[in-house]
Amino acid sequence: MNDGSLLIISYYFPPIHSVASLRNYYFALNLAEHFDSTTVITTSNQKIFPKQEFPTNNLDIVPVSTFDYRTIINFFSAQKGVIHHQESKKQNTIIQFILKLNETLPFSLLFGEGGLIYILSAYFFALKICRKKNVTHCFSSYRVTGNHIVSFLLKRKFPKLIWIADFHDLPYDDFRNNAFLPNLQAWFWKKILKNADKVITVSEGLANTLRKWHPNVQVIRDGIVPREAITPIDREHFIINYTGSIYQKAQNADVLWQVLKELIDENEIDKSKFRIRYAGKDATLFRSWLNKFELEEFLEDKGMVSREEAMKMQETAAVNLLLTWSFGASKGIVTGKIYEYLSARRPILLLINGEQDLEMENWFEEMKCGEVFYNIDLQKVPLKQHLIGLYKNKNKMHDLNSKIETQSWENQINKVFKVE
């Protein structure tokens, strides 16, 4: 137990319905065990976001005034509280320009997500908390940029404050080309992170980029939350399950669909018992992928579902599909979905679009949770053999109990306090 208080700056914080925000939630919950008190500053937009109920124990959660593009969109939109938009709708040139501007400093500080009003409101409230509660540590998460800027300002005001800056993904990278003026972005981020005591992130691939901005970067993966009970697998069907968003320019599963089509045509898989199940906001895109290879008839589109329903889908599937990418500096891409997949204890099929990613290969080997393939023609034969093996042994569960224990949130949080 540290003799002091913890302040967390997190625009995205449950009950927001977002897998990415769970990292912030579990960090807060477990870090709080080490302090006398914990205050979470979040956005007033929380009241318009989709709700997902989580116990907050002794966390003091304070929404601060926010007026940004999400506030504006919600005011004019017929669909209130939508935070995730279909990937197909983002392909419009004007929308792409706005999204790119939203992630470009300094423009994002105006009406970008977590813009100026949020930053000022969070900062002035944080000043009061720091003076009132003997705050010794500050934890901020990306995204949004405003979280780190508030912490940057606090660190300048209170030099002895220990600031830990967390990144679930990068503010920008060359492959996604998601921000204008990349050299200026690097300059800004070096300035913002200059006074951070430690930067943490989810993979070595992301850490390599962040080390260009800060000398002390540590990889802290998410913890795996064990499930009290696991729903029995669907013994009547061979189900390949995918739950979550799709990034159209980054993810690609053409090789998988091509191999599945061949297996069905060759009667290696009984088509009457085969299902490809999807849940998420990008059903239109997912359906177009399957239609390209004449697999649409096997699609079970569940649409947007609750976290509990998504987890049940993961448990009843024969295999959970994970799609990532690896290009240049964009390696070690880890989505929050993988930790849910791990706790479901079903085989995971990771299909990487792009170059070899040794970090992910080594992690899958360590966890013994499934196999890694690449979206290239050379992988068709081994992928086909692997799928046949999964089909014949679809009732298999992975014995991950020891791995889940070592990858617990408690152990991950303990790493944060270790000096490297």
Side-chain angles (χ1 to χ4, degrees):
M1 174 76 74
N2 286 286
D3 185 18
S5 297
L6 170 67
L7 178 62
I8 294 176
I9 317 292
S10 176
Y11 182 96
Y12 281 114
F13 198 82
I16 292 172
H17 189 186
S18 169
V19 173
S21 73
L22 292 180
R23 178 174 172 89
N24 304 336
Y25 169 74
Y26 284 110
F27 257 110
L29 213 60
N30 287 274
L31 282 172
E33 297 293 323
H34 296 263
F35 295 90
D36 295 328
S37 68
T38 299
T39 303
V40 180
I41 295 178
T42 188
T43 173
S44 59
N45 281 343
Q46 184 190 61
K47 66 179 180 293
I48 65 175
F49 289 156
K51 296 297 185 286
Q52 187 166 288
E53 298 303 327
F54 286 93
T56 52
N57 295 8
N58 296 322
L59 301 178
D60 183 14
I61 302 174
V62 182
V64 297
S65 298
T66 306
F67 186 80
D68 58 16
Y69 87 88
R70 290 204 179 276
T71 318
I72 297 169
I73 288 176
N74 185 76
F75 182 80
F76 290 102
S77 175
Q79 293 180 298
K80 301 296 183 183
V82 175
I83 59 174
H84 299 300
H85 299 277
Q86 292 183 27
E87 193 71 9
S88 56
K89 293 183 178 180
K90 297 179 182 179
Q91 303 312 305
N92 178 279
T93 303
I94 296 176
I95 292 177
Q96 286 188 333
F97 175 82
I98 294 172
L99 290 174
K100 198 169 179 178
L101 199 64
N102 176 60
E103 300 198 39
T104 300
L105 288 164
F107 308 107
S108 60
L109 302 185
L110 298 176
F111 290 104
E113 192 175 36
L116 189 60
I117 301 299
Y118 169 75
I119 292 169
L120 293 175
S121 301
Y123 175 63
F124 286 116
F125 185 83
L127 287 178
K128 295 179 183 178
I129 295 297
C130 286
R131 289 168 177 149
K132 180 180 179 181
K133 292 191 175 182
N134 183 32
V135 173
T136 57
H137 290 68
C138 178
F139 175 90
S140 57
S141 64
Y142 178 84
R143 60 188 61 215
V144 298
T145 302
N147 295 330
H148 288 331
I149 290 179
V150 173
S151 300
F152 163 78
L153 295 172
L154 288 174
K155 179 69 175 182
R156 294 191 64 176
K157 184 71 174 178
F158 306 102
K160 293 184 179 180
L161 182 71
I162 297 175
W163 172 26
I164 301 169
D166 178 45
F167 288 84
H168 184 267
D169 55 12
L170 296 175
Y172 81 93
D173 61 55
D174 293 334
F175 169 68
R176 288 188 299 151
N177 189 27
N178 61 309
F180 297 108
L181 308 171
N183 290 335
L184 181 62
Q185 303 314 297
W187 182 85
F188 269 120
W189 279 106
K190 285 180 182 178
K191 290 293 183 181
I192 292 170
L193 296 176
K194 181 180 179 181
N195 294 326
D197 294 275
K198 178 183 285 190
V199 172
I200 61 177
T201 189
V202 296
S203 73
E204 196 61 41
L206 271 62
N208 288 334
T209 295
L210 291 168
R211 288 187 182 109
K212 299 175 183 177
W213 304 340
H214 194 279
N216 184 16
V217 180
Q218 183 182 11
V219 175
I220 306 287
R221 298 191 188 276
D222 286 12
I224 301 173
V225 181
R227 306 189 186 193
E228 294 182 1
I230 295 180
T231 307
I233 194 169
D234 186 327
R235 298 182 182 278
E236 298 299 318
H237 302 95
F238 178 65
I239 299 173
I240 295 178
N241 178 74
Y242 186 94
T243 54
S245 301
I246 299 172
Y247 301 94
Q248 188 168 353
K249 293 183 178 180
Q251 295 165 304
N252 191 307
D254 280 0
V255 165
L256 173 62
W257 310 136
Q258 188 175 350
V259 167
L260 284 170
K261 175 65 170 144
E262 291 177 3
L263 288 172
I264 290 170
D265 289 345
E266 295 165 1
N267 294 318
E268 293 285 355
I269 292 178
D270 184 348
K271 63 187 300 182
S272 68
K273 297 182 179 181
F274 176 55
R275 300 288 185 273
I276 301 173
R277 196 162 57 193
Y278 175 79
K281 65 181 178 63
D282 297 309
T284 301
L285 176 57
F286 197 84
R287 185 181 297 275
S288 71
W289 283 1
L290 299 184
N291 186 53
K292 179 180 176 181
F293 295 93
E294 300 178 349
L295 293 171
E296 188 177 355
E297 65 178 288
F298 304 106
L299 174 63
E300 283 187 6
D301 177 12
K302 298 294 185 179
M304 292 292 290
V305 300
S306 66
R307 180 169 180 260
E308 290 71 23
E309 190 171 347
M311 293 171 70
K312 188 171 292 186
M313 289 171 60
Q314 296 156 10
E315 294 165 359
T316 57
V319 57
N320 283 304
L321 174 62
L322 185 67
L323 303 176
T324 65
W325 60 94
S326 174
F327 295 97
S330 295
K331 295 185 184 297
I333 304 300
V334 181
T335 65
K337 174 167 51 260
I338 189 172
Y339 301 100
E340 287 189 353
Y341 282 2
L342 286 168
S343 67
R345 295 177 59 200
R346 304 298 183 200
I348 302 172
L349 193 161
L350 171 56
L351 187 62
I352 299 175
N353 187 37
E355 306 161 4
Q356 185 175 23
D357 192 329
L358 289 175
E359 180 179 5
M360 296 305 292
E361 290 184 23
N362 292 337
W363 191 26
F364 264 61
E365 176 61 29
E366 175 191 348
M367 298 299 292
K368 305 294 183 187
C369 60
E371 296 293 334
V372 179
F373 296 92
Y374 294 86
N375 189 52
I376 56 176
D377 285 341
L378 289 175
Q379 295 274 269
K380 286 177 61 177
V381 172
L383 179 56
K384 181 178 284 190
Q385 293 172 345
H386 179 65
L387 287 168
I388 291 173
L390 289 172
Y391 179 68
K392 292 179 178 179
N393 300 279
K394 71 181 182 71
N395 295 333
K396 183 178 180 181
M397 289 183 67
H398 284 291
D399 184 15
L400 285 171
N401 288 336
S402 61
K403 295 297 181 182
I404 289 176
E405 185 176 333
T406 59
Q407 190 84 19
S408 69
W409 269 111
E410 181 181 3
N411 285 340
Q412 298 306 92
I413 294 301
N414 288 335
K415 295 176 185 177
V416 175
F417 296 105
K418 291 181 180 179
V419 178
E420 293 197 332

